[in-house]
Amino acid sequence: MKNICIDLGGTNIKAGIIENDQLLYACNGPSMSDQSFLKVMNSIEKMIDEMMKKTNSMPSEYGGIGLCMPGIIDVDNNKVLAINAKHEEASSFNFNAWAQDKYHLPIVMENDARTALVGEWQHGEGRGVNDIVMMTLGTGIGGAAMINGKLLHGKHYQAGCLGGHFTINVHGDQCNCGNIGCVESQSASWRLKELIAKAKEGHTLLNGPQEIDFKVLFDLVREGNQIAKEVIDNILKVWSAGIVNMIHAYDPDVVIVSGGIMNSKDIILPFMKEWVAKYAWTAHHSVDIKASTHTENTALWGINYLVNDKYFKKINDSVQ
């Protein structure tokens, strides 16, 4: 079955058409998080229309729409219950009505970190494993947990997906979630310039010729820049401490770390593995730390699986 899959992130929107585990067409654009949510949805509609035009297809040829995004998602009723700082108007948007009115299709919604986990479980580093934790590194820090092959949701849909908001420093900075000393507030992309400014001589990086992001920072580390190394070491400690907390909470066999930042996995993974081996309390097993296989489209693969699982699994089972 062919599905329309949308990954609405804090910075970018990714869209794809997936059929039989094949990505037929993909496109992307800015998330426009500073615009009204109606404009964001209009942009998504244009992306869907573009994909249908490029693949010479019509809505009647599709099984459903899958949409993942940050925040706490009521997956039973396709509602955004809570989201911080970006796309806040999504909480009042009727996604079911939108999907039916525009495309006459059912919709499945899920938190983006959970869909990234499912994507890796089906197609990447989580294959053959049913107890997995996911940490996503991007504009914010996301988390997800799978126990015995089932995504963890909880009564209020927030279990497992708030790993980025575990407290790792009670004297830390306030996060946009309202907590203090979160993994996210101490290490996410949206805090990067402030974190650099706190480092000794950090202003020399901020006032340099390059716009500083994680890619530039990791490149500077490889070149031997000690200021960049100090900043990155502190951030790696935060990410690693967050992973230890998630291991203690969810007892996984594997932790998968996802996001474009993992293009620097040559620096990130050895640090995380050493930290976890030293500080995680795992009495009877060791936990493997891996980088996501499908960094760019993991969430699209995951939401596609969830659409098929919700609407077509029973049909397929009855045919068999």
Side-chain angles (χ1 to χ4, degrees):
M1 183 61 68
K2 189 159 53 178
N3 296 317
I4 298 165
C5 303
I6 309 293
D7 177 8
L8 174 54
T11 303
N12 296 303
I13 304 171
K14 299 173 186 175
I17 293 173
I18 299 179
E19 182 178 23
N20 298 326
D21 291 334
Q22 296 294 317
L23 183 61
L24 303 182
Y25 190 85
C27 60
N28 61 75
S31 68
M32 304 192 306
S33 56
D34 58 338
Q35 304 286 318
S36 73
F37 195 69
L38 284 177
K39 289 185 177 180
V40 174
M41 293 306 296
N42 286 338
S43 178
I44 288 175
E45 289 169 20
K46 290 178 181 178
M47 295 172 77
I48 292 173
D49 293 344
E50 175 193 336
M51 293 192 298
M52 287 186 177
K53 183 177 180 180
K54 294 290 186 180
T55 57
N56 194 28
S57 59
M58 300 180 65
S60 59
E61 299 174 36
Y62 292 83
I65 298 173
L67 172 64
C68 62
M69 61 188 296
I72 299 173
I73 311 296
D74 176 345
V75 298
D76 295 310
N77 298 294
N78 298 316
K79 293 181 178 180
V80 177
L81 300 180
I83 189 168
N84 282 313
K86 297 186 176 184
H87 306 307
E88 292 180 349
E89 294 174 357
S91 297
S92 59
F93 191 83
N94 190 328
F95 291 92
N96 289 319
W98 169 79
Q100 284 295 331
D101 292 346
K102 293 291 182 180
Y103 303 103
H104 305 291
L105 291 172
I107 188 169
V108 171
M109 292 183 64
E110 181 56 278
N111 169 271
D112 55 353
R114 289 198 188 106
T115 57
L117 189 158
V118 172
E120 287 294 324
W121 178 51
Q122 288 295 303
H123 299 282
E125 295 295 341
R127 283 176 293 185
V129 183
N130 285 328
D131 294 276
I132 308 168
V133 158
M134 168 73 76
M135 174 181 274
T136 58
L137 305 177
T139 307
I141 308 293
M146 174 177 283
I147 299 175
N148 294 328
K150 301 291 184 182
L151 283 175
L152 187 62
H153 287 96
K155 180 179 179 180
H156 303 105
Y157 305 101
Q158 66 186 54
C161 72
L162 297 181
H165 300 282
F166 282 4
T167 301
I168 51 90
N169 181 4
V170 296
H171 302 292
D173 301 311
Q174 186 164 29
C175 183
N176 56 30
C177 75
N179 193 12
I180 57 169
C182 293
V183 173
E184 180 168 316
S185 71
Q186 304 299 120
S187 66
S189 295
W190 63 270
R191 286 291 326 280
L192 188 56
K193 289 185 178 180
E194 295 171 77
L195 297 172
I196 293 171
K198 289 183 177 183
K200 185 178 180 181
E201 303 297 327
H203 65 278
T204 61
L205 294 181
L206 295 175
N207 296 331
Q210 292 178 295
E211 179 71 20
I212 297 293
D213 58 15
F214 270 112
K215 181 183 183 304
V216 171
L217 210 54
F218 277 108
D219 286 343
L220 289 171
V221 170
R222 294 185 184 93
E223 294 169 8
N225 186 296
Q226 291 303 304
I227 303 170
K229 186 177 186 305
E230 177 189 340
V231 174
I232 287 297
D233 280 353
N234 286 334
I235 289 172
L236 288 173
K237 289 176 183 177
V238 172
W239 291 342
S240 301
I243 288 174
V244 168
N245 284 342
M246 295 175 82
I247 290 171
H248 290 170
Y250 307 122
D251 189 23
D253 288 318
V254 176
V255 175
I256 301 172
V257 189
S258 180
I261 293 171
M262 291 307 291
N263 289 326
S264 294
K265 63 184 179 182
D266 58 309
I267 296 174
I268 297 170
L269 280 184
F271 190 103
M272 287 179 169
K273 289 181 178 182
E274 182 177 350
W275 187 279
V276 167
K278 185 175 182 180
Y279 295 112
W281 188 355
T282 54
H284 301 293
H285 73 293
S286 60
V287 179
D288 202 1
I289 315 295
K290 297 183 176 183
S292 169
T293 303
H294 305 286
T295 300
E296 294 302 321
N297 295 315
T298 303
L300 294 181
W301 292 113
I303 196 65
N304 177 67
Y305 175 89
L306 294 177
V307 173
N308 287 334
D309 186 63
K310 182 168 185 177
Y311 289 114
F312 308 112
K313 186 173 185 292
K314 291 181 180 178
I315 296 174
N316 293 336
D317 288 347
S318 66
V319 171
Q320 294 173 2

